[in-house]
Amino acid sequence: MTTPGTITGWGTALPPTVVTNADLEARLDTDDAWIVERSGIRERRVGGTVSGLATEAGRMALERSGTDPATVDLLLLATSTPEMIIPATSARVHHALGLGGGAFDLNAACSGFVYALVMAYGALSTGMNRVLVIGADRLASITDPDDRGTAVLFADGAGALLIEASGGPSPFEGGPGLVAFDMGVDGSAYDLLFCPHDGHLTMEGREVFRRAVRVTVESAQAAMEGAKVTPDQVTLFVPHQANLRIIEAAASRLGIPMDRTAIVLDRTGNTSAASIPLALAEAADAGRVGPGDHILMSGFGAGMTWASALVRWDPDVRR
Ligand code: UT7
């Protein structure tokens, strides 16, 4: 599938409370050197609510694109930490933003944002004109604060993209949009990373690490092959921000240098569905992508799920 569409806005939200590695050292049997060496994380943000963070990021994306919220046809909220079982957290975000159209939550864990992005382009192909895609999670809220194996990694945040239907050439002919994607899940690995109702996250870190490198590489390669794009034609690689060592290993195997890879996890920790839009928005704000550039997003997470999207960037010039 190849679908035209223009990313006309992007936004982010991080809670104000910063937790540094030194703060964790003070209450856990851990230290800054271990956390930095094993994960690349130096500090993370915690607090707020999923709907509050999602609303802030979504509002920023709408304002940046100059879009009337009432003209949005669909809100897709990727989250694995919904505020309630019923109703979907997206209903609250939809109301807070004054959106038109429908809204639903999507849970594909840390791959959720890329899953939602692919669905958003699919929605455009049904005739919708504007889809707001938000990844928002509060993984700190389901992490055992006394478990050093997970408490140093997981944190909170949100990121959003507004995608609009666009005419012109198809993405295969150089137009903006979703050029190709790859998506999958291996439910036999269900028990490697899970959180029951009213419980805490449990993770087999080493096995998740091993699989994460493999699926990121395979999935990103599948998306590039589908798009007929080679690694040297990727302007920006935006991987899920779980561990710097996973990102470095995957980027190296893909043949994409780190100076073309987006990194925010040193300041955000692992924010699950928020991590890819947080990294993409920072790179876009820094002017690291321009019209016609190829962006390769690749996520993996509990399930185990994975998804990659090769998008041709063409920010609307209304800003
Ligand atoms: O987004 C969802 C996907 N999640 C991930 O991608 C996470 C994937 N896994 C990882 O990122 C890494 O496996 C971790 C960062 C979780 C752990 O790094 P590691 O290099 O795989 O360490 P390890 O689990 O093999 O543990 C090495 C040692 C152990 O001690 P022993 O058994 O060697 O005595 C751990 O108990 O490090 C110990 N350890 C710690 N030490 C200090 C575990 N956590 C900590 C800690 N501080 N916070």
Side-chain angles (χ1 to χ4, degrees):
M1 187 188 77
T2 174
T3 310
T6 305
I7 296 169
T8 60
W10 55 95
T12 59
L14 291 169
T17 303
V18 179
V19 177
T20 64
N21 290 351
D23 294 332
L24 293 171
E25 258 180 24
R27 63 173 183 79
L28 284 172
D29 180 16
T30 190
D31 57 79
D32 175 60
W34 190 96
I35 301 170
V36 172
E37 185 190 318
R38 301 294 178 119
S39 74
I41 299 167
R42 294 179 184 275
E43 60 183 44
R44 70 286 290 144
R45 304 288 197 96
V46 301
T49 62
V50 172
S51 62
L53 293 164
T55 300
E56 190 181 331
R59 183 169 289 126
M60 194 186 291
L62 290 162
E63 287 176 359
R64 186 185 292 273
S65 81
T67 294
D68 174 0
T71 66
V72 169
D73 297 307
L74 181 65
L75 165 64
L76 281 166
L77 176 63
T79 185
S80 36
T81 47
E83 291 173 1
M84 301 239 178
I85 297 173
I86 295 172
T89 305
S90 53
R92 192 171 249 179
V93 178
H94 185 278
H95 176 66
L97 290 173
L99 301 177
F104 68 96
D105 289 9
L106 180 159
N107 180 351
C110 302
S111 311
F113 187 81
V114 183
Y115 266 69
L117 186 71
V118 173
M119 294 300 107
Y121 282 103
L124 295 183
S125 71
T126 69
M128 291 187 184
N129 287 315
R130 287 179 196 86
V131 183
L132 182 60
V133 190
I134 305 178
D137 265 311
R138 284 213 58 224
L139 282 199
S141 71
I142 57 167
T143 302
D144 178 354
D146 298 323
D147 174 16
R148 68 176 182 172
T150 52
V152 304
L153 304 173
F154 296 116
D156 308 334
L161 294 182
L162 182 72
I163 302 169
E164 301 195 43
S166 56
S170 89
F172 264 131
E173 292 156 346
L178 179 67
V179 193
F181 70 92
D182 174 70
M183 188 181 277
V185 60
D186 176 4
S188 71
Y190 188 86
D191 293 338
L192 289 182
L193 176 51
F194 63 91
C195 178
H197 289 299
D198 300 323
H200 286 129
L201 269 176
T202 300
M203 177 172 72
E204 286 185 38
R206 278 184 218 184
E207 182 57 16
V208 172
F209 187 111
R210 200 179 64 77
R211 286 168 174 261
V213 175
R214 178 167 55 78
V215 297
T216 301
V217 171
E218 289 175 359
S219 179
Q221 278 172 339
M224 283 191 287
E225 279 163 23
K228 303 199 186 321
V229 162
T230 54
D232 56 297
Q233 294 172 316
V234 172
T235 309
L236 190 70
F237 176 43
V238 191
H240 171 45
Q241 310 280 305
N243 186 317
L244 188 58
R245 288 186 296 143
I246 293 175
I247 295 172
E248 285 173 344
S252 159
R253 289 180 203 184
L254 287 167
I256 301 174
M258 289 303 287
D259 64 5
R260 284 195 272 125
T261 302
I263 302 290
V264 287
L265 96 163
D266 51 325
R267 289 150 288 142
T268 63
N270 181 345
T271 57
S272 191
S275 90
I276 286 177
L278 280 169
L280 175 57
E282 183 177 270
D285 284 339
R288 292 177 68 187
V289 284
D293 284 349
H294 293 123
I295 300 176
L296 175 61
M297 297 174 232
S298 196
F300 65 90
M304 283 192 68
T305 57
W306 62 86
S308 298
L310 197 305
V311 168
R312 185 170 298 105
W313 183 259
D314 182 17
D316 194 281
V317 286
R318 278 176 291 163
R319 286 175 293 125

